Amino acid sequence: MKRLSIFVSGGGTNLQRIAEYFSSNPNVEIVNVICNNPNAYAIERAKNLGIPCKLINRAEFKSEDFTKELLNQNIDLIVLAGFLWLVPKHLIDAFPNKIINIHPALLPKYGGKGFYGEHVHEAVVAAKEEYSGITIHYVNEHYDSGDIIFQAQVALEEGETPDSLAAKIHTLEYKHYPEVIEKLTINS
């Protein structure tokens, strides 16, 4: 059995989709949800899904005790699903190539500190890009710069808005993120 920990900061729609995708898979268990935002709707989603949720502050997240706690839970893969904090190096070192993230653009464009959610879509539309998409990548000590695992793209239409682009990107996320997670758990 592969054990996942999902880190969230916001609404938790990817958390919901991942949990639904693996709900009938006896080989994958979502052990917990780690949340850094006490107002995140993801906390309610985790509760509704019956997944334990731990709320953490920045000091706890940066502590080596938190890393040891995850190691003691035998976590096989950490999945960032809208998690906005930079992951500390000791956590990355403890889980080499076992922490992944999904980014709502085709990296290396529109990545880095401050590029998340609607900020990405606004920048893509303002630049009049022909395409945008998703990038699933390994996490390293810099925002959005780990090795790319998977990308999928979508064309921008005439009159595209950040909101309409966001809807297209969510469709790609919901389809591909669980599939990539499944492939990574099978191959690890």
Side-chain angles (χ1 to χ4, degrees):
M1 162 133 355
K2 298 299 181 177
R3 297 168 58 85
L4 309 183
S5 180
I6 301 181
F7 290 20
V8 296
S9 295
T13 55
N14 274 306
L15 161 65
Q16 179 87 35
R17 176 65 184 116
I18 293 164
E20 289 169 355
Y21 186 87
F22 288 110
S23 65
S24 61
N25 184 333
N27 300 314
V28 176
E29 176 187 7
I30 301 173
V31 175
N32 60 27
V33 171
I34 305 297
C35 184
N36 64 347
N37 175 0
N39 300 313
Y41 189 70
I43 296 168
E44 187 67 25
R45 285 187 199 273
K47 180 180 171 186
N48 292 340
L49 292 163
I51 303 169
C53 184
K54 176 179 178 128
L55 190 60
I56 57 166
N57 62 37
R58 198 173 293 272
E60 288 172 303
F61 181 61
K62 290 184 175 184
S63 79
E64 296 210 17
D65 288 342
F66 175 69
T67 299
K68 288 176 188 168
E69 184 180 323
L70 291 172
L71 287 167
N72 289 337
Q73 294 175 355
N74 297 313
I75 301 298
D76 295 297
L77 187 66
I78 295 172
V79 177
L80 307 187
F83 187 75
L84 301 180
W85 286 351
L86 189 64
V87 177
K89 185 164 179 5
H90 62 82
L91 182 55
I92 294 165
D93 290 345
F95 291 90
N97 289 328
K98 299 292 182 192
I99 306 174
I100 63 170
N101 183 43
I102 189 165
H103 185 74
L106 297 170
L107 293 174
K109 286 184 165 186
Y110 307 104
K113 187 173 174 86
F115 275 105
Y116 61 90
E118 70 273 1
H119 303 293
V120 173
H121 308 311
E122 289 166 357
V124 169
V125 170
K128 298 185 181 346
E129 294 284 352
E130 284 185 62
Y131 297 96
S132 189
I134 61 167
T135 302
I136 299 169
H137 63 92
Y138 289 109
V139 172
N140 64 19
E141 60 272 10
H142 306 287
Y143 284 112
D144 303 324
S145 64
D147 291 341
I148 293 172
I149 301 166
F150 176 85
Q151 288 185 310
Q153 70 180 26
V154 63
L156 274 71
E157 306 295 329
E158 184 72 32
E160 194 82 59
T161 67
D163 287 343
S164 64
L165 178 57
K168 290 179 177 180
I169 297 298
H170 286 309
T171 298
L172 291 177
E173 290 174 345
Y174 303 155
K175 175 178 179 7
H176 294 292
Y177 208 15
E179 292 172 351
V180 169
I181 292 166
E182 185 172 46
K183 286 178 186 164
L184 289 173
T185 59
I186 290 169
N187 296 328
S188 64

